[in-house]
Amino acid sequence: MLHAECYPQEERSLPFPERWPRTSKFALSACAAAVAELVTFPLDLTKTRLQIQGEAAVCRYGPAAGRAVPYRGMLRTAAGIIQEEGLLKLWQGATPAVYRHIVYSGVRMVTYEHIRDSVLGRAEDESFPLWRSVVGGMSAGAIGQFFASPTDLVKVQMQMEGKRRLEGKPLRFRGVHHAFVKILSEGGIRGLWAGWVPNVQRAALVNMGDICTYSSVKVSEAMLIYTNMFFLQIVFFIDSVCSGLVAAILGTPADVVKTRIMNQPRDKQGRGLLYKSSADCLIQAIQGEGFMSLYKGFLPTWMRMGFLRCVKSLILPDAECLQFPLTLLGTEVGVLCRRH
């Protein structure tokens, strides 16, 4: 009885990450994702503008095309946004982007751990095979992106507001809350999930690329425990560049389709006027602009994915001092935070 009475007191004396591990992981992931998103958001805005430029379906639509904007590369597009719209417009749409990362990162993390522990299960030696990591990662990414898709829709449309102003078109939204309300009133619940199919496909492919790259550039447990933090961050940087490249190659075509479907004009019932489906958007892009149009915005996409992982790696190691586990390929490795 004495032991039973003392146990709750002992549990309350444990650090918060040990008492509420999943809640702590969710909070940490959300904070890291929010910081990384704000740091890299100008690249995301530039990527979205590049994916929309030269859209063949808009040119055929006629009046919706408005005043044509000459095609520009990544640097000239970013410089043009600063010159024509102002420096702060590089962060237009950042608020729904942060919302999106909080939802996506949290749901993906919780879903992956559930799939790993309860659905797929570990091997007899407590390891987690690569194929199970790929299946779990793709499934968790797809589920997380599905729940976050409405925030992605608002983000994409707000990112294009500056271009609409330059083309002489009326602005669609006054802010994030107005955007959600307007989309919901015009298209209903279904309207909030416009473009969710390529969005989910992109998330699954990006997660597959991440996990497969980690399997090639992964760090051994001994290296994580006995190597100083400076070298560990260099390893994370190399891994970020490699995983970002693979993820960008796999995910950019679906991302282009997603952006165009989300940004297309709609009728009073919320139906798209340019594309009937993801397949229709894909076919129109290839026929009207060529296959490489599916890789518009590839460079800022790659840079952003790499920077996202670098920023998170700079944030997360400090949290490892709270005895947070570092998850690599589904294996939780306790990191000893020693600085030499």
Side-chain angles (χ1 to χ4, degrees):
M1 287 294 295
L2 181 62
H3 177 74
E5 292 176 357
C6 293
Y7 182 75
Q9 182 64 32
E10 294 178 359
E11 184 177 339
R12 285 194 295 270
S13 66
L14 292 174
F16 182 80
E18 294 184 13
R19 283 187 294 155
W20 302 94
R22 292 197 176 183
T23 303
S24 302
K25 287 182 184 179
F26 177 86
L28 180 66
S29 298
C31 292
V35 173
E37 181 66 33
L38 291 175
V39 171
T40 62
F41 190 78
L43 288 170
D44 187 67
L45 177 66
T46 304
K47 177 261 299 182
T48 300
R49 296 288 182 92
L50 286 171
Q51 291 175 339
I52 295 296
Q53 285 183 4
E55 195 172 359
V58 172
C59 297
R60 289 195 297 269
Y61 188 66
R67 182 170 60 86
V69 177
Y71 180 83
R72 298 177 291 194
M74 182 186 73
L75 295 178
R76 291 185 61 191
T77 297
I81 293 172
I82 296 174
Q83 293 172 358
E84 297 164 0
E85 305 172 38
L87 178 63
L88 293 181
K89 293 299 181 181
L90 286 174
W91 279 270
Q92 187 167 20
T95 301
V98 171
Y99 294 163
R100 179 256 176 195
H101 258 298
I102 292 175
V103 175
Y104 173 69
S105 299
V107 173
R108 179 180 62 170
M109 179 196 67
V110 173
T111 303
Y112 179 78
E113 291 193 352
H114 175 73
I115 292 175
R116 180 194 62 194
D117 298 334
S118 303
V119 179
L120 296 176
R122 297 180 183 271
E124 293 182 358
D125 59 354
E126 291 299 312
S127 64
F128 200 61
L130 175 61
W131 72 267
R132 293 185 183 180
S133 295
V134 172
V135 172
M138 292 181 68
S139 302
I143 294 171
Q145 189 58 71
F146 177 78
F147 283 100
S149 196
T151 58
D152 235 341
L153 174 66
V154 173
K155 181 199 75 171
V156 168
Q157 295 197 7
M158 291 190 70
Q159 286 178 327
M160 297 305 300
E161 290 293 86
K163 183 181 177 184
R164 289 178 62 87
R165 184 185 292 109
L166 294 176
E167 294 176 345
K169 299 176 183 178
L171 298 182
R172 292 174 288 195
F173 313 120
R174 296 190 299 269
V176 178
H177 178 263
H178 179 244
F180 278 108
V181 172
K182 185 177 180 181
I183 294 172
L184 184 61
S185 62
E186 293 179 352
I189 295 293
R190 185 176 180 180
L192 286 173
W193 269 267
W196 72 269
V197 174
N199 211 7
V200 166
Q201 292 171 343
R202 172 192 172 277
L205 291 170
V206 166
N207 277 273
M208 181 181 70
D210 273 346
I211 293 173
C212 290
T213 307
Y214 274 130
S215 69
S216 300
V217 196
K218 64 181 179 180
V219 187
S220 68
E221 180 175 356
M223 182 181 293
L224 285 172
I225 294 177
Y226 297 109
T227 302
N228 62 54
M229 293 300 297
F230 176 74
F231 182 77
L232 182 60
Q233 289 176 356
I234 293 178
V235 173
F236 276 144
F237 173 78
I238 296 173
D239 173 75
S240 298
V241 173
C242 295
S243 62
L245 174 61
V246 176
I249 292 174
L250 293 175
T252 298
D255 194 39
V256 171
V257 173
K258 174 212 74 173
T259 299
R260 294 186 173 191
I261 288 181
M262 288 183 170
N263 187 63
Q264 68 175 325
R266 299 183 179 276
D267 59 19
K268 294 182 178 179
Q269 286 73 41
R271 293 174 299 196
L273 298 176
L274 300 181
Y275 309 110
K276 300 176 182 178
S277 64
S278 301
D280 182 43
C281 179
L282 180 69
I283 293 171
Q284 287 196 48
I286 295 175
Q287 290 180 344
E289 306 164 55
F291 177 78
M292 293 309 297
S293 66
L294 298 178
Y295 283 91
K296 285 185 176 181
F298 173 80
L299 183 57
T301 298
W302 177 22
M303 292 178 62
R304 181 172 179 270
M305 288 182 174
F307 283 147
L308 277 173
R309 288 156 181 78
C310 287
V311 172
K312 288 179 181 179
S313 72
L314 292 175
I315 298 172
L316 291 176
D318 289 335
E320 301 295 338
C321 296
L322 301 175
Q323 297 181 346
F324 253 71
L326 176 65
T327 300
L328 288 178
L329 289 173
T331 303
E332 293 184 350
V333 181
V335 178
L336 179 61
C337 290
R338 298 185 305 178
R339 299 186 181 273
H340 299 279

